[in-house]
Amino acid sequence: SAVISQKPSRDICQRGTSLTIQCQVDSQVTMMFWYRQQPGQSLTLIATANQGSEATYESGFVIDKFPISRPNLTFSTLTVSNMSPEDSSIYLCSARTGANPEDNYGYTFGSGTRLTVV
Amino acid sequence: RKEVEQDPGPFNVPEGATVAFNCTYSNSASQSFFWYRQDCRKEPKLLMSVYSSGNEDGRFTAQLNRASQYISLLIRDSKLSDSATYLCVVNIPGGSYIPTFGRGTSLIVHP
């Protein structure tokens, strides 16, 4: 299955600043996803990123706050803009490594970015 | 009602025990079901896919019940190293299929 390199692995940021998280996949993937995971909670999907089109955001997430880039089939970035302490969380990127919904390869994850906003 | 629901536990079992988790999903058109394992402060990793006919991988058995809209994970002969959070993932239709996670079930295996 694909391997995803995600960076930074952690950061402590001042409120009001922005942080860009990068994910590099070692193979071409059509769909990438960005998640947020609060402590003790499950993963919440922020947006789906397809190459060549704008990201599709889930309810409660907007492009101005979480702009996403997907310049090619192996790379994506998520920016957390104008950060506040409520944005402190783990951010994970993921890629669908199967070719269709019935594929059993599932999803591969980056190792996560642990963000603390002070 | 949440799209994917799991009992958060924790399930606290002795080594060697058999333990089972269930996960229910609300959308009957859901396709593709998975169990992921997440260790503390780590990313989720695929444990096994869930096939319609049920499937087994060593001590782990996964089953799908489409009529009742749930999947299950059975772990036999529990090991200390099985302690983790087990996440149920369901591909829910919505334009494209969107992977949706349950909140996870925590398992603690003690000596």
Side-chain angles (χ1 to χ4, degrees):
Chain A
S1 61
V3 175
I4 302 179
S5 300
Q6 181 173 346
K7 59 181 181 181
S9 59
R10 62 181 67 240
D11 210 338
I12 300 174
C13 301
Q14 297 289 329
R15 66 180 68 198
T17 62
S18 298
L19 175 71
T20 295
I21 302 167
Q22 301 180 6
C23 277
Q24 178 75 52
V25 191
D26 68 348
S27 59
Q28 293 185 340
V29 292
T30 53
M31 297 185 74
M32 292 187 71
F33 306 89
W34 287 95
Y35 290 88
R36 182 169 72 182
Q37 187 174 30
Q38 305 281 12
Q41 301 296 316
S42 189
L43 282 73
T44 300
L45 182 64
I46 297 172
T48 301
N50 292 331
Q51 191 267 335
S53 62
E54 281 198 6
T56 302
Y57 289 82
E58 297 299 303
S59 176
F61 299 97
V62 295
I63 188 171
D64 289 345
K65 177 67 175 177
F66 297 101
I68 287 172
S69 78
R70 184 82 203 275
N72 55 53
L73 292 174
T74 64
F75 188 77
S76 181
T77 68
L78 170 77
T79 299
V80 186
S81 303
N82 189 24
M83 288 184 284
S84 66
E86 292 71 34
D87 294 321
S88 298
S89 187
I90 298 173
Y91 292 84
L92 292 146
C93 66
S94 174
R96 172 178 287 161
T97 49
N100 58 64
E102 289 296 334
D103 202 296
N104 292 319
Y105 288 104
Y107 303 88
T108 302
F109 287 84
S111 54
T113 297
R114 289 165 180 77
L115 171 63
T116 302
V117 183
V118 298
Chain B
R1 180 185 175 188
K2 292 183 178 178
E3 291 178 311
V4 181
E5 294 202 63
Q6 292 182 254
D7 179 348
F11 286 65
N12 201 323
V13 303
E15 271 186 293
T18 296
V19 61
F21 312 134
N22 279 346
C23 167
T24 60
Y25 60 94
S26 59
N27 191 323
S28 60
S30 299
Q31 299 280 350
S32 300
F33 307 87
F34 308 90
W35 284 102
Y36 278 73
R37 169 187 171 135
Q38 186 172 28
D39 292 285
C40 186
R41 303 176 70 82
K42 299 286 188 181
E43 75 275 20
K45 292 187 177 178
L46 180 65
L47 177 65
M48 59 195 306
S49 304
V50 186
Y51 300 105
S52 298
S53 57
N55 48 300
E56 187 174 308
D57 183 3
R59 297 181 293 110
F60 299 85
T61 300
Q63 291 192 313
L64 167 64
N65 186 318
R66 284 196 181 272
S68 300
Q69 294 182 204
Y70 75 87
I71 66 172
S72 64
L73 178 67
L74 180 78
I75 305 176
R76 291 179 297 277
D77 188 24
S78 299
K79 310 291 184 190
L80 296 176
S81 57
D82 293 334
S83 298
T85 297
Y86 292 83
L87 299 165
C88 163
V89 182
V90 176
N91 274 354
I92 294 178
S96 181
Y97 283 86
I98 303 300
T100 304
F101 286 75
R103 62 174 295 182
T105 298
S106 295
L107 172 65
I108 301 170
V109 181
H110 58 82

